[in-house]
Amino acid sequence: MPSVPPTDPAQLTEIYTERPLSPVRYRPAVELRWTDARGSRDEIIHGRTTLGTLGSLVVVIADPSVSRVHVEIEPREDGVHLRDLGSTNGTWFHDARVRDVMLVDDAIIRIGRVRLEIRRLREPATETLWQESEFGGLVGRSESMRALFQRLSLISRGHSTVHIHGETGTGKELVAEAIHEHSPRRGGPFQIVDCAALSAELLESELFGHARGAFTGAVRDREGMFEAADGGTLFLDEIGELPSAMQPKLLRTLESRTVRRVGETTQRKIDVRVISATHRDLRREVNAGTFREDLYFRIAVVPVHVPALRERPEDLALLVRHFLRLLGSALDVTPAILERLAALPWKGNVRELRNVIDRVAGLGWIEGLAADAERDLIRLSPSLVAPPGDPSGANAAVVPYRVAKDAWNDEKIRDYFSDLRRHFGEDIDTAAAAADIDGSWLRKMYKRLGV
């Protein structure tokens, strides 16, 4: 998304003109060549592709200097995007170790000790696009979104486990709902569990249920969300925050398709499709040892990536009109308004846009776009709000994490936990109570973020 209002007529046309929907798009491709323990190899890739030593990857590099999930390569129209995934021995371009780089020409890189040639192909591949601008509750005219809709339409027909990755606010829950509503399971339940909101002990009971007397407060038998979702779909949101103690238990359930309630010995069969989501890159977590490799590949049988709003500016006008229509507003959307909206960074993605339009629908464009005091208080001043007469912040109120996180990107989430640590020090229990989160999870976040 541009940081200043666009002035190029072509840019403005892209933002507010509804062009005819094309049935296909042309996807750039690259050829990869390398030599490993199996000899000389070559592979042609058309989309976002992970390279590493794991046998379940599309491109496997058989060399001990290469990490399990080492690097992601994505051919684009303007070059080849290269992103190291926290590998042990690094990704190298010339003599520089790179984390995130765009290669505009053919290039030779090194992953570990393996020399990898990257050659851009002149004849791109074609990809069929969804012929409508909506899929379930999702809205988009851009090629990236209609390619996503086409993929979701195919995914929905089966029963495979799906993992959704995307930035905060991109609509991952809507993707999960759309898959369910277009699937053979649409007549069954759609259950949601937020893995970030509960401790390992509470999450185990929430997922698997418990028997009466299994622990203090368990006054009756209770089915868990797996049983409640039987015949339908279970959506595990924020699975990247899953406590380490819960990871082997979830893996066992996914492999056996049975659950055992806390306090029982009986295994109960379940028929559930599992869809998970996170804004974290779990491939990096696997390399860092904070997320189990076998669990990752069990949940990511079918991976789905949701593009950020800034990557699809041509969807802005459609989304604005869509939200106004949902709110029953008759406000006009002029090119001048769209230019102003296009100048915003939208770090909170579609969720942030929806919040803005909610306010605009009630106040009008001028007041609605200007009345950002409350929103900016949360988005820009992360967690601690000092009352008047208390400049030290000794009696500062803490914005509950679950309330505030919807307005933030990853940088602000880090600021939130930095503020908590600075204000409460080593008093984990008080900090967790103020933020309305579990203490053990707070310790994990302090360690993960290095605050």
Side-chain angles (χ1 to χ4, degrees):
M1 186 71 66
S3 57
V4 296
T7 56
D8 181 5
Q11 282 185 291
L12 296 181
T13 298
E14 179 183 39
I15 291 170
Y16 62 74
T17 301
E18 294 188 359
R19 298 174 175 175
L21 299 179
S22 59
V24 298
R25 72 168 173 174
Y26 295 92
R27 303 184 67 192
V30 297
E31 181 181 22
L32 307 177
R33 293 181 178 178
W34 73 96
T35 299
D36 59 19
R38 300 170 299 173
S40 298
R41 313 287 295 177
D42 64 86
E43 189 83 36
I44 294 177
I45 63 172
H46 301 97
R48 190 189 303 259
T49 305
T50 304
L51 284 64
T53 60
L54 287 176
S56 54
L57 296 176
V58 174
V59 179
V60 178
I61 311 292
D63 188 279
S65 67
V66 176
S67 294
R68 295 169 293 179
V69 281
H70 194 109
V71 66
E72 176 186 88
I73 296 179
E74 181 183 10
R76 298 181 180 177
E77 291 185 4
D78 55 348
V80 181
H81 184 228
L82 196 74
R83 189 162 66 95
D84 185 84
L85 299 174
S87 64
T88 300
N89 294 318
T91 300
W92 298 80
F93 180 54
H94 296 306
D95 293 327
R97 182 168 182 169
V98 296
R99 296 182 182 276
D100 195 306
V101 66
M102 178 69 80
L103 306 174
V104 296
D105 296 309
D106 296 350
I108 297 176
I109 66 169
R110 180 164 53 84
I111 55 175
R113 292 191 300 267
V114 175
R115 181 178 182 270
L116 180 69
E117 298 180 37
I118 302 176
R119 186 170 67 90
R120 299 177 68 185
L121 300 182
R122 306 308 170 200
E123 296 184 5
T126 60
E127 179 182 21
T128 301
L129 301 177
W130 190 249
Q131 284 301 285
E132 299 176 19
S133 58
E134 295 186 12
F135 186 85
L138 300 163
V139 174
R141 294 177 51 85
S142 62
E143 291 185 349
S144 61
M145 286 301 289
R146 291 192 295 117
L148 172 62
F149 297 166
Q150 181 69 21
R151 180 171 173 80
L152 296 180
S153 71
L154 299 175
I155 292 171
S156 300
R157 301 173 188 174
H159 301 274
S160 297
T161 306
V162 179
H163 177 62
I164 306 166
H165 174 260
E167 293 182 9
T168 299
T170 49
K172 296 184 288 295
E173 184 175 327
L174 287 178
V175 172
E177 289 178 354
I179 293 173
H180 173 74
E181 291 301 326
H182 287 78
S183 76
R185 296 175 176 270
R186 57 184 171 272
F190 179 78
Q191 301 288 352
I192 303 173
V193 175
D194 185 349
C195 298
L198 301 169
S199 66
E201 295 75 16
L202 292 176
L203 185 58
E204 182 176 14
S205 175
E206 180 76 3
L207 287 174
F208 308 131
H210 61 255
R212 178 183 178 184
F215 50 83
T216 302
V219 297
R220 59 180 178 84
D221 291 347
R222 179 181 181 274
E223 70 174 12
M225 284 300 195
F226 268 104
E227 289 182 70
D230 193 52
T233 303
L234 177 61
F235 177 50
L236 301 178
D237 198 12
E238 299 292 354
I239 198 170
E241 314 303 336
L242 192 71
S244 56
M246 277 298 302
Q247 292 182 23
K249 297 175 182 179
L250 177 59
L251 176 63
R252 192 177 307 117
T253 294
L254 295 177
E255 289 180 335
S256 67
R257 296 292 166 176
T258 62
V259 294
R260 181 173 62 84
R261 293 182 181 180
V262 178
E264 287 188 350
T265 58
T266 304
Q267 296 286 346
R268 301 168 184 264
K269 288 188 175 297
I270 52 170
D271 174 23
V272 176
R273 184 179 201 175
V274 174
I275 301 177
S276 63
T278 182
H279 67 283
R280 298 190 179 280
D281 190 334
L282 293 187
R283 298 168 300 180
R284 288 182 177 273
E285 305 288 334
V286 167
N287 275 337
T290 57
F291 200 88
R292 287 181 63 120
E293 174 188 313
D294 47 4
L295 176 58
Y296 170 70
F297 285 102
R298 174 60 68 176
I299 64 173
V301 175
V302 180
V304 171
H305 177 73
V306 186
L309 180 56
R310 65 180 174 278
E311 298 171 359
R312 47 188 184 102
E314 61 269 43
D315 287 339
L316 185 61
L318 180 68
L319 286 164
V320 170
R321 294 186 178 108
H322 172 71
F323 291 143
L324 287 173
R325 186 170 61 252
L326 289 179
L327 294 167
S329 173
L331 283 176
D332 190 23
V333 185
T334 66
I337 289 294
L338 288 172
E339 288 176 43
R340 182 170 178 179
L341 293 174
L344 300 175
W346 299 118
K347 292 184 177 181
N349 289 291
V350 178
R351 180 187 293 141
E352 183 182 359
L353 176 62
R354 171 62 191 260
N355 292 339
V356 168
I357 301 305
D358 278 349
R359 187 170 59 252
V360 163
L363 300 176
W365 285 112
I366 295 177
E367 290 188 45
L369 292 178
D372 274 352
E374 182 178 352
R375 170 170 159 264
D376 286 347
L377 180 66
I378 296 177
R379 186 164 65 88
L380 301 178
S381 304
S383 57
L384 305 179
V385 182
D390 181 29
S392 68
N395 299 305
V398 178
V399 178
Y401 178 66
R402 272 171 259 166
V403 172
K405 69 174 183 177
D406 284 351
W408 293 338
N409 59 10
D410 292 350
E411 179 183 349
K412 295 305 175 187
I413 289 176
R414 180 184 180 86
D415 289 345
Y416 179 91
F417 288 103
S418 295
D419 275 3
L420 282 183
R421 189 60 178 262
R422 186 164 49 250
H423 187 70
F424 292 103
E426 299 302 317
D427 190 350
I428 299 292
D429 291 340
T430 302
D436 193 23
I437 55 180
D438 178 71
S440 61
W441 186 71
L442 179 58
R443 288 189 182 90
K444 175 183 175 182
M445 291 303 294
Y446 281 170
K447 182 178 181 182
R448 182 198 295 274
L449 297 173
V451 300

